[in-house]
Amino acid sequence: MNEQPLLFELGKPGRKAIDLPACDVPLAENLLPTKYLRTAKAALPEISQLELMRHYTQLSNRNFGVDTGFYPLGSCTMKYNPKVNEDISRYPGLALLHPLQSEDTVQGAMEVLFKMEESLAEIAGMAGVTLQPVAGAHGELTGLKLIRAYHRDRGDLIRTKVIVPDSAHGTNPASAAMCGMEAVEIKSEADGSIDLEALKAAVGADTAALMLTNPSTLGLFESKIEAIAKIVHDAGGLLYYDGANSNAIMGIVRPGDMGFDVVHLNLHKTFATPHGGGGPGSGPIGVKERLLPFLPDPHVEKTRRQICLGKICKKHRQGACFPRQFRCYRESLCLYPDDGSSWPASDQ
């Protein structure tokens, strides 16, 4: 790789990248304490505009991303960011919303949130969705807290163990630990699938949940998922779906129909919202009917007069680009049966 000179090495005295017009308003004085003011000009490089543009363009060419090649970020390799989604999310009427605006002035954005919850629930085969989690791992933690609350509400206080396969993403056991639960790892079979006998031996009266990615981190679909769900449910536990690889099943099969009780979906992986430099992210979770009472507030509610939040949550409004991009992407895909009918109702 060719070394790129520093701007200080490129510059020469007297060069300028831009000439600013003379100030045409009186200079304000005494705005800052004297101790914070410079007594000498800043030692900045002196460089022409052409050199400046070439310098940063050459640096940017060193970046690797989805526009220049295969995106090397684990299960994010399947993601897709259509440019039209980015354009629509930047419409002034959406991008310039203020997080403190009253709900009656942002009904369009609120409708997007409301319909987004409905769409995600339908796509995942869930009864309800919360948009609160702002990352995949945040979704995991929220989902496990829901599961913990569900068991405690039933007086099942000893259910503190979360089963994870040895192929699980590291955030799964980490989220269990953050939630005050104990992660129990089970070995996979030679082909990478869940060992049913190992699972049977691991479940018990203390089992809170099984966390599973399907397809797994190995890229394999768990063909025995119905048997897996029955083992866990018969033991009184719940199934948690890690949506890291849900791109592979989108529009083909739904986690809710496989037997999962809680689902988190990475909008920054599966639904064409941006994910770079560690963020931003969005990890909404969906739940089956019996877990609806444990979803966190606020809920996006539709009344006769307007769409509103049960409780104000500024994070929803500040992250509003995600719902806009999701809706654009959803409507550009055929996520429903070709005959226009809806999915068969799942057993919730």
Side-chain angles (χ1 to χ4, degrees), residues 4-244:
Q4 178 69 21
L6 301 176
L7 285 178
F8 286 97
E9 297 172 329
L10 292 173
K12 294 186 180 299
R15 291 182 178 175
K16 292 183 179 180
I18 187 170
D19 284 320
L20 296 175
C23 183
D24 59 356
V25 296
L27 295 177
E29 297 181 356
N30 302 320
L31 289 179
L32 296 173
T34 304
K35 63 180 180 179
Y36 295 124
L37 299 177
R38 290 185 181 277
T39 57
K41 289 185 177 181
L44 300 176
E46 299 179 69
I47 193 168
S48 69
Q49 188 179 82
L50 186 59
E51 289 172 316
L52 185 68
M53 290 190 300
R54 286 177 176 172
H55 174 78
Y56 284 107
T57 299
Q58 288 168 3
L59 288 179
S60 70
N61 288 336
R62 294 185 176 185
N63 292 333
F64 191 89
V66 70
D67 288 338
T68 56
F70 194 60
Y71 198 60
L73 186 58
S75 53
C76 286
T77 53
M78 296 182 286
K79 70 184 268 76
Y80 176 50
N81 292 112
K83 302 305 181 187
V84 63
N85 299 8
E86 304 295 321
D87 291 341
I88 291 176
S89 72
R90 290 180 172 85
Y91 282 1
L94 298 170
L96 299 182
L97 292 179
H98 194 281
L100 298 181
Q101 279 185 236
S102 61
E103 289 170 352
D104 60 341
T105 67
V106 291
Q107 285 297 289
M110 297 295 288
E111 181 181 2
V112 171
L113 291 172
F114 180 77
K115 289 186 175 180
M116 179 181 176
E117 286 191 359
E118 289 188 325
S119 296
L120 288 175
E122 172 71 13
I123 290 168
M126 296 286 115
V129 167
T130 176
L131 305 177
Q132 281 206 38
V134 293
H138 192 190
E140 287 183 22
L141 182 62
T142 306
L144 286 176
K145 285 190 171 185
L146 278 169
I147 291 171
R148 184 180 64 181
Y150 168 78
H151 288 309
R152 288 181 175 179
D153 184 67
R154 299 170 70 243
D156 238 343
L157 303 182
I158 65 170
R159 292 191 180 275
T160 58
K161 292 185 178 180
V162 176
I163 301 172
V164 296
D166 55 8
S167 61
H169 192 285
T171 55
N172 289 177
S175 296
M178 285 288 291
C179 201
M181 295 180 172
E182 178 185 349
V184 178
E185 183 179 279
I186 58 172
K187 298 296 182 182
S188 301
E189 293 190 15
D191 63 359
S193 63
I194 293 287
D195 186 327
L196 295 186
E197 295 306 315
L199 178 59
K200 290 177 182 177
V203 298
D206 57 359
T207 299
L210 166 69
M211 299 186 77
L212 196 62
T213 306
N214 197 21
S216 69
T217 306
L218 302 176
L220 304 173
F221 184 85
E222 290 286 353
S223 59
K224 299 172 286 189
I225 185 59
E226 290 179 321
I228 292 170
K230 186 176 188 308
I231 292 171
V232 175
H233 287 151
D234 286 351
L238 299 177
L239 255 69
Y240 179 94
Y241 183 82
D242 183 328

Side-chain angles (χ1 to χ4, degrees), residues 185-316:
E185 183 179 279
I186 58 172
K187 298 296 182 182
S188 301
E189 293 190 15
D191 63 359
S193 63
I194 293 287
D195 186 327
L196 295 186
E197 295 306 315
L199 178 59
K200 290 177 182 177
V203 298
D206 57 359
T207 299
L210 166 69
M211 299 186 77
L212 196 62
T213 306
N214 197 21
S216 69
T217 306
L218 302 176
L220 304 173
F221 184 85
E222 290 286 353
S223 59
K224 299 172 286 189
I225 185 59
E226 290 179 321
I228 292 170
K230 186 176 188 308
I231 292 171
V232 175
H233 287 151
D234 286 351
L238 299 177
L239 255 69
Y240 179 94
Y241 183 82
D242 183 328
N245 298 334
S246 54
N247 301 53
I249 65 168
M250 195 55 49
I252 300 172
V253 63
R254 305 185 301 176
D257 299 333
M258 299 181 209
F260 286 94
D261 304 289
V262 181
V263 172
H264 95 251
L265 294 170
N266 297 295
L267 301 193
H268 51 279
K269 293 183 181 181
T270 306
F271 292 105
T273 60
H275 186 211
S282 183
I285 62 170
V287 298
K288 287 291 186 68
E289 189 79 34
R290 56 180 166 171
L291 292 168
L292 285 175
F294 305 99
L295 283 175
D297 283 329
H299 299 291
V300 185
E301 300 172 348
K302 190 172 186 178
T303 67
R304 291 184 178 181
R305 297 183 60 187
Q306 64 176 10
I307 303 173
C308 59
L309 294 176
K311 294 182 180 178
I312 301 300
C313 178
K314 300 301 185 291
K315 287 180 180 174
H316 279 191

